[in-house]
Amino acid sequence: MSDSAVSLVETLNEHSGAVAAVRFVQDGERLALVSGGSDRTLVFRTVTLDEQQRITAIERCASEVLTGAVCDMGVCKDGDRYVMARRWCCC
């Protein structure tokens, strides 16, 4: 893959610690991005795609503070709710 085929769209700078898990969640035609990590915060973002399905923008829409850090997670959309299973970090 050439360097011209790759471009930085957004950085996940809303976290105050290391980001350990990032997941995309498809909701019909909408796309969301969820990230979590050592700062015990989940950040939800909306993703905008162009006609060729390339990411053009990522905007924060919500966040949630958890009781522990996240090492890994699985996320799916269930109606109007996000359902998440996470694995806690031991540190």
Side-chain angles (χ1 to χ4, degrees), residues 23-34 45-47 49 53 61 75-82:
R23 300 291 181 265
F24 285 95
V25 182
Q26 187 75 41
D27 177 23
E29 293 186 19
R30 296 183 301 172
L31 186 62
L33 177 69
V34 183
R45 299 168 184 86
T46 56
V47 178
L49 303 173
Q53 299 299 300
C61 59
V75 183
C76 66
K77 189 84 159 74
D78 180 23
D80 293 332
R81 302 177 306 162
Y82 286 97

Side-chain angles (χ1 to χ4, degrees), residues 43-91:
V43 179
F44 296 85
R45 299 168 184 86
T46 56
V47 178
T48 304
L49 303 173
D50 66 11
E51 300 82 31
Q52 289 81 34
Q53 299 299 300
R54 295 178 299 205
I55 297 173
T56 58
I58 300 174
E59 297 180 32
R60 181 182 179 156
C61 59
S63 64
E64 181 72 28
V65 177
L66 307 172
T67 57
V70 176
C71 287
D72 196 8
M73 65 181 167
V75 183
C76 66
K77 189 84 159 74
D78 180 23
D80 293 332
R81 302 177 306 162
Y82 286 97
V83 178
M84 185 189 85
R86 62 184 169 187
R87 183 172 56 113
W88 300 104
C89 292
C90 57
C91 44

Side-chain angles (χ1 to χ4, degrees), residues 6-39:
V6 179
S7 63
L8 177 65
V9 176
E10 187 72 37
T11 58
L12 304 180
N13 57 6
E14 293 97 346
H15 289 278
S16 62
V19 175
V22 177
R23 300 291 181 265
F24 285 95
V25 182
Q26 187 75 41
D27 177 23
E29 293 186 19
R30 296 183 301 172
L31 186 62
L33 177 69
V34 183
S35 60
S38 65
D39 64 353

